[in-house]
Amino acid sequence: MDRVDLIQEIFSLTDFQNYLEIGCQKGKSFLPIKAKNKTAVDPVFNISILRKLKWFVKWPANFNARYFEEESDIFFNKRKDYLETLKTLDVVLVDGLHNFRGSLHDVLHTLDYLHPEGIIIMHDCFPPHPAAAIPADVFPTKEQQRQIEGWTGEWCGDVWKTIVYLQKKYPELLETGVINTDYGLGYVKFKKDLLERTFEVDEALFNEINQLAYEDMMENPQKIINLKPKSYCKEILQSYMK
C-alpha cells in the first residue's frame, strides 16, 4: 500500500471531504485522489494537459480542485480566508521540500487546521540508504550527485527528523510514527482535541534534533521514529471504521 492507496482508503471509510497536498508538482498522487474538495500547493506545477484531462474523466470533482502556485509558508500565511472556508483539513499529504525545516513548517501549519480525527501523511520518512538521506534544500544537482557515494537517484532528505521532533515535543498530544512502505509514510494524528491551537518551532529542540545523522536513526528506527511494519496501514484504516 502506497500513499495514494492509504489516503484513498481513508476517504472511502469516512465522511471527510477536504484534501490538501503540499508538493503536488506533476499531480501523480494528487489527481487520483477522490475527494470532494481538493487543494494543491506547489511553487512550480508541472501537470500535463493530458494528465489533467485523463483524471477529469475519471474523477469529475478534479474540475473544482484549487491550485496555489506558491511556497507552502506563503500559502498558509496568505490564504487564511480560503482555509477558513474549508473549516478543517481532513487528510493532508506533506511531500514538499525534502528537508527537516520545510517539512516541519508544513506539519505545524497544517495542525492549526487539521480535523480532530484527521491525519497528516508525510512521504519520504524512511530513506533506503545514506545517499538517499543527504540533507539538502533541493534535489541534488548532477554535479552534486557525482560526489555522493552510493547515489541511485532516490532522495528523501532528512524529513524523518520532523517525526523525531513531534514525538519529543508533543508526546501527550500527537500520535506519530512511520510506516515502512513507499519510502516511509509518516503519520500524524491528534490524541486529543484542543480548544486553541498554536504551533511554533522550538528552535532549541530543532537544533538538537538537527544534529542527528541518518546512521543515528538507523541504529534503532523502531524507537527513534516509531517505525511500524507495512501491515500497520491496516491499523490506521481500522481506526476510521465506524
Side-chain angles (χ1 to χ4, degrees), residues 71-122:
E71 294 179 357
S72 55
D73 279 344
I74 293 173
F75 168 77
F76 281 106
N77 184 54
K78 190 176 173 183
R79 310 294 178 179
K80 292 180 180 179
D81 289 345
Y82 170 72
L83 288 164
E84 287 172 5
T85 64
L86 295 176
K87 295 184 179 179
T88 61
L89 296 171
D90 299 324
V91 182
V92 178
L93 174 63
V94 172
D95 194 14
L97 291 175
H98 286 24
N99 63 53
F100 181 20
R101 176 76 70 177
S103 60
L104 179 60
H105 279 201
D106 289 342
V107 170
L108 295 183
H109 284 313
T110 298
L111 287 170
D112 284 334
Y113 300 93
L114 189 66
H115 187 287
E117 297 180 3
I119 188 168
I120 302 170
I121 301 295
M122 300 176 62

Side-chain angles (χ1 to χ4, degrees), residues 1-19 21 28-38 55 58-59 61-62 90-93 119 121 182 185 233 236-237 240-241:
M1 181 172 282
D2 64 13
R3 58 197 182 281
V4 175
D5 296 328
L6 179 59
I7 290 168
Q8 192 58 68
E9 283 296 317
I10 292 171
F11 275 109
S12 299
L13 291 168
T14 64
D15 295 327
F16 288 162
Q17 296 184 338
N18 300 328
Y19 174 63
E21 183 168 312
K28 289 184 178 180
S29 54
F30 180 74
L31 290 171
I33 298 296
K34 294 182 178 180
K36 182 178 179 181
N37 304 314
K38 298 171 62 175
W55 286 104
K58 289 191 172 188
W59 181 240
N62 276 316
D90 299 324
V91 182
V92 178
L93 174 63
I119 188 168
I121 301 295
D182 197 12
L185 295 182
C233 288
I236 294 286
L237 297 175
Y240 288 106
M241 292 180 182

Side-chain angles (χ1 to χ4, degrees), residues 222-238:
Q222 286 74 21
K223 178 180 179 181
I224 295 176
I225 59 172
N226 192 23
L227 186 68
K228 302 290 190 181
K230 186 176 181 179
S231 59
Y232 194 76
C233 288
K234 294 181 180 179
E235 294 194 34
I236 294 286
L237 297 175
Q238 285 173 353

Side-chain angles (χ1 to χ4, degrees), residues 26-208:
K26 295 183 179 181
K28 289 184 178 180
S29 54
F30 180 74
L31 290 171
I33 298 296
K34 294 182 178 180
K36 182 178 179 181
N37 304 314
K38 298 171 62 175
T39 305
V41 177
D42 197 290
V44 182
F45 286 111
N46 187 21
I47 306 174
S48 71
I49 296 298
L50 286 177
R51 177 170 287 155
K52 274 193 174 182
L53 289 174
K54 170 187 172 182
W55 286 104
F56 284 164
V57 173
K58 289 191 172 188
W59 181 240
N62 276 316
F63 276 109
N64 300 319
R66 296 290 303 274
Y67 295 86
F68 294 91
E69 194 166 45
E70 56 200 15
E71 294 179 357
S72 55
D73 279 344
I74 293 173
F75 168 77
F76 281 106
N77 184 54
K78 190 176 173 183
R79 310 294 178 179
K80 292 180 180 179
D81 289 345
Y82 170 72
L83 288 164
E84 287 172 5
T85 64
L86 295 176
K87 295 184 179 179
T88 61
L89 296 171
D90 299 324
V91 182
V92 178
L93 174 63
V94 172
D95 194 14
L97 291 175
H98 286 24
N99 63 53
F100 181 20
R101 176 76 70 177
S103 60
L104 179 60
H105 279 201
D106 289 342
V107 170
L108 295 183
H109 284 313
T110 298
L111 287 170
D112 284 334
Y113 300 93
L114 189 66
H115 187 287
E117 297 180 3
I119 188 168
I120 302 170
I121 301 295
M122 300 176 62
H123 193 218
D124 298 304
C125 289
F126 192 47
H129 48 74
I134 294 293
D137 289 334
V138 296
F139 194 87
T141 64
K142 289 185 177 179
E143 182 177 346
Q144 290 170 332
Q145 292 170 22
R146 287 193 288 269
Q147 298 172 8
I148 299 173
E149 184 178 354
W151 178 258
T152 63
E154 301 167 300
W155 185 57
C156 302
D158 59 353
V159 174
W160 59 270
K161 293 177 182 176
T162 290
I163 296 293
V164 181
Y165 177 100
L166 297 173
Q167 290 183 148
K168 289 195 173 187
K169 183 68 177 178
Y170 306 108
E172 304 300 322
L173 176 63
L174 299 177
E175 176 186 345
T176 61
V178 176
I179 306 170
N180 191 5
T181 185
D182 197 12
Y183 292 98
L185 295 182
Y187 60 89
V188 183
K189 300 175 67 179
F190 284 119
K191 291 181 178 179
K192 57 184 178 182
D193 194 14
L194 297 176
L195 294 177
E196 295 184 9
R197 301 183 188 182
T198 303
F199 296 93
E200 298 179 350
V201 177
D202 180 333
E203 291 294 341
L205 180 59
F206 177 91
N207 291 331
E208 174 190 328

